[in-house]
Amino acid sequence: MPSLTKEVMKRLDRGATIGIIGGGQLGQMMALSARYMGFHTVVLDPTPGCPAAGACNQQVIADYDDKEAIRSIAQMSDILTYEFENVDADALDSVRDIVRIPQGTDLLRVTQNRVAEKTFINNHGIETARWQEVSSFAQLEKAVEVIGLPAVLKTAEGGYDGHGQKVLRTADDVQSVHEQWGENFEQSVLEGFVNFEYEASILVSGNGSEYVTFPVVKNNHVNNILHTTVAPAYGSYPSALDEQVNKQAHELARTLAAGFELAGTLAIELFVCADGRVIVNELAPRPHNSGHYTIEACDFDQFDMHVLGIAGWSLPQPKLLSPAVMINVLGQHVEPVFKASALHPNWHVHDYGKAQSKHNRKMGHITVLGDDTQELLTEFKNSGCWE
């Protein structure tokens, strides 16, 4: 049975208008896929000329919590979607009388809150790191006794790329929380450390009733920001353990998608352990940075599948056409990377067109295709652009 905050899917006709909340690079790439399929798009974003603006038919310039602006874009659209999870779910619910929201708002609310997210994942029989909800120093002390150290304290809402997180390794680190956050603080979770072999992710896309998955990929983070993605994670000659990991990841992805009655693309960040266990770290209710390789490496990319899914169309099973490596271009990399790209014709360079370059801000990405992904990683390293 569909939830109260999820509509029964209806097929969207070509020529219809898709409203996108958020005009960053994900909104830009959604809009490009939608345009190729014959849809019109309008974006809501507070920054004039945001990356998605050039790919959309129109932009509504307003803050994301501006309810009048959300009603305005709803009136211009046949369906609404979003490119990031920090959207006001109540504001979206307030316009459901005039526009369809195929993803619903249950998905949004679950992924906006770590307590709700981990509860949802565990309730579907899927493993996460050990965790406890805390909102006071007294609760934190009790949680440390249960979880142990080291552990990570994370705010339940609003964190990304390492923001809103505090690593606790010693009793002094725990005491520092009291000094910095006080006796009572906002809802948070304490997570135990996971002794993982590598970080991975998988994308799953749905149209509300059928679900398809992309390959499992291996991710490397630097300073809590995704640095490289290697597709597929297990290389050309997977071992029995790799196959076990692969099977688990695809099964849990479909389980979570069915639990949400997913429309669009969902990204699932994973920890892969030495014994082959796959542990879910986080969910993202949208296309994801680790899925950018799909633009060149797959027959249908993550944005194509997102648009097809929210449009209620039948979904093809995406195929990996070539192994690939994707590397992020942050603000400090822009000048050397774009200069070097002229000497590397095999680099697929994506410049997001952001007006201002900032340290650690995602400004673009590069994807390279090839059979030997280790060789591709070495090529990136030897370019000297990411030192």
Side-chain angles (χ1 to χ4, degrees):
M1 290 289 292
S3 69
L4 293 177
T5 53
K6 181 80 163 60
E7 294 100 342
V8 175
M9 287 297 295
K10 299 177 183 177
R11 187 174 299 162
L12 197 66
D13 293 330
R14 294 182 191 275
T17 298
I18 300 173
I20 303 171
I21 310 297
Q25 62 268 22
L26 299 180
Q28 178 191 64
M29 290 181 265
M30 278 183 204
L32 289 171
S33 284
R35 173 163 288 193
Y36 287 136
M37 295 179 201
F39 296 114
H40 300 293
T41 52
V42 56
V43 63
L44 170 67
D45 193 277
T47 304
C50 62
C56 290
N57 297 85
Q58 193 170 347
Q59 179 183 1
V60 175
I61 301 172
D63 291 332
Y64 301 123
D65 59 357
D66 185 328
K67 292 188 177 181
E68 288 187 11
I70 289 177
R71 181 156 287 269
S72 176
I73 192 174
Q75 291 170 336
M76 301 163 65
S77 306
D78 294 288
I79 61 172
L80 285 183
T81 187
Y82 38 81
E83 69 143 14
F84 65 110
E85 49 269 45
N86 294 323
V87 179
D88 187 338
D90 290 338
L92 291 184
D93 279 338
S94 73
V95 297
R96 298 170 77 88
D97 58 327
I98 58 174
V99 70
R100 290 193 294 119
I101 306 174
Q103 292 155 283
T105 49
D106 283 348
L107 173 64
L108 197 56
R109 287 188 170 91
V110 167
T111 55
Q112 283 176 340
N113 183 284
R114 285 190 170 94
V115 172
E117 180 176 272
K118 292 179 184 302
T119 300
F120 183 91
I121 294 167
N122 294 156
N123 284 348
H124 283 79
I126 297 168
E127 186 178 0
T128 61
R130 296 179 67 206
W131 66 279
Q132 293 254 310
E133 178 183 356
V134 296
S135 56
S136 70
F137 185 70
Q139 290 178 346
L140 175 61
E141 288 184 307
K142 291 180 180 179
V144 169
E145 291 178 6
V146 175
I147 300 295
L149 295 177
V152 184
L153 181 63
K154 302 179 179 180
T155 55
E157 298 184 359
Y160 68 97
D161 288 347
H163 297 286
Q165 301 185 18
K166 185 174 178 61
V167 177
L168 308 180
R169 299 183 184 278
T170 66
D172 287 342
D173 292 335
V174 176
Q175 187 59 41
S176 72
V177 175
H178 188 272
E179 296 167 1
Q180 295 171 16
W181 292 16
E183 182 60 38
N184 298 294
F185 43 81
E186 62 183 294
Q187 183 189 42
S188 302
V189 295
L190 183 73
E191 291 181 16
F193 265 29
V194 175
N195 185 21
F196 59 87
E197 284 288 295
Y198 60 89
E199 295 174 269
S201 58
I202 186 170
L203 301 167
V204 57
S205 299
N207 63 8
S209 60
E210 59 182 4
Y211 312 103
V212 296
T213 50
F214 285 87
V216 179
V217 298
K218 185 180 292 186
N219 299 320
N220 178 48
H221 289 78
V222 176
N223 297 323
N224 294 306
I225 301 173
L226 182 65
H227 182 51
T228 55
T229 293
V230 175
Y234 47 78
S236 301
Y237 301 100
S239 66
L241 193 63
D242 293 328
E243 293 290 8
Q244 176 184 329
V245 167
N246 194 49
K247 181 181 179 182
Q248 284 184 77
H250 286 275
E251 287 178 351
L252 71 83
R254 290 190 175 93
T255 295
L256 291 173
F260 284 120
E261 296 178 306
L262 178 69
T265 294
L266 172 74
I268 305 170
E269 296 182 34
L270 307 167
F271 294 130
V272 177
C273 301
D275 60 3
R277 286 183 304 133
V278 179
I279 295 173
V280 173
N281 179 29
E282 291 184 349
L283 307 178
R286 47 160 175 83
H288 192 258
N289 194 179
S290 68
H292 289 340
Y293 76 94
T294 62
I295 297 172
E296 283 83 26
C298 295
D299 58 346
F300 289 87
D301 68 45
Q302 63 169 339
F303 302 98
D304 297 333
M305 300 303 289
H306 182 77
V307 174
L308 290 171
I310 62 176
W313 292 15
S314 294
L315 300 181
Q317 172 58 52
K319 296 178 183 177
L320 183 69
L321 303 177
S322 169
V325 172
M326 187 283 299
I327 186 165
N328 265 329
V329 178
L330 305 181
Q332 61 268 35
H333 307 141
V334 168
E335 186 174 347
V337 164
F338 291 158
K339 183 177 180 180
S341 65
L343 304 176
H344 294 273
N346 59 324
W347 287 6
H348 294 269
V349 181
H350 294 254
D351 181 348
Y352 300 153
K354 294 182 178 179
Q356 188 175 9
S357 177
K358 296 180 181 179
H359 187 85
N360 282 348
R361 187 185 193 193
K362 294 168 185 168
M363 302 299 295
H365 73 269
I366 292 173
T367 300
V368 182
L369 309 181
D371 293 330
D372 189 335
T373 53
Q374 187 55 52
E375 183 178 301
L376 299 180
L377 286 169
T378 300
E379 176 187 333
F380 277 135
K381 183 176 181 180
N382 291 341
S383 73
C385 295
W386 283 271
E387 299 300 328

